Amino acid sequence: MAAADFAAGFLAMKQYTFMRGKMRFLVPLYEIAQCDLVAMIEADYMGQLRTGAASGVATKYLARRDASVAAIIGTGGQARTQLEAIAAVRKLSSARVYGRNPDRRKRFAEECASELAFRWNPPVDMRQARARS
């Protein structure tokens, strides 16, 4: 992914690199006039924020104004920033968390409920949910 701000004079691109079992996300930032590399930005967290922000914008414009319950699939960094962004545009009373690992699911739900000041509905075990349907 590449982008340029010609008025400000900068060019950047997001690079996805996979080496020795590890994924890395980097953004080199270049100053256009001199073609100088001015920054190398670690972009994993930046990508999580961008994804979360998209959920916040979508919620702001597409969800009912009185919506107060969020449902999140996953317990990783993007799930956290998505829930934070949703909570920034809607007053949440509770959230539902879906994830495969019961311990991570419970920890994620408890941390988010504490940080964002809402209650969490008991995490759902997807295997049990499928067995009931």
Side-chain angles (χ1 to χ4, degrees), residues 11 85 126:
L11 170 90
M126 295 303 287

Side-chain angles (χ1 to χ4, degrees), residues 63-86:
R64 290 177 19 183
R65 295 214 182 273
D66 63 346
S68 63
V69 178
I72 297 294
I73 299 173
T75 58
Q78 287 188 358
R80 181 175 300 273
T81 58
Q82 288 174 314
L83 190 54
E84 289 169 349
I86 291 168

Side-chain angles (χ1 to χ4, degrees), residues 65-108:
R65 295 214 182 273
D66 63 346
S68 63
V69 178
I72 297 294
I73 299 173
T75 58
Q78 287 188 358
R80 181 175 300 273
T81 58
Q82 288 174 314
L83 190 54
E84 289 169 349
I86 291 168
V89 297
R90 290 294 183 272
K91 175 126 178 69
L92 296 180
S93 62
S94 67
R96 296 184 177 109
V97 179
Y98 303 89
R100 293 180 302 217
N101 183 301
D103 294 332
R104 284 188 62 175
R105 188 175 58 233
K106 184 174 190 275
R107 185 172 49 251
F108 175 87

Side-chain angles (χ1 to χ4, degrees), residues 7 10 13 19 31 37-38 40 48 52 55 64 69 71 82 88-89 98 121 123:
F10 293 99
M13 67 208 66
M19 189 176 0
E31 189 273 327
L37 176 66
V38 295
M40 181 65 74
Q48 292 172 14
S55 293
R64 290 177 19 183
V69 178
Q82 288 174 314
V89 297
Y98 303 89
N121 295 327

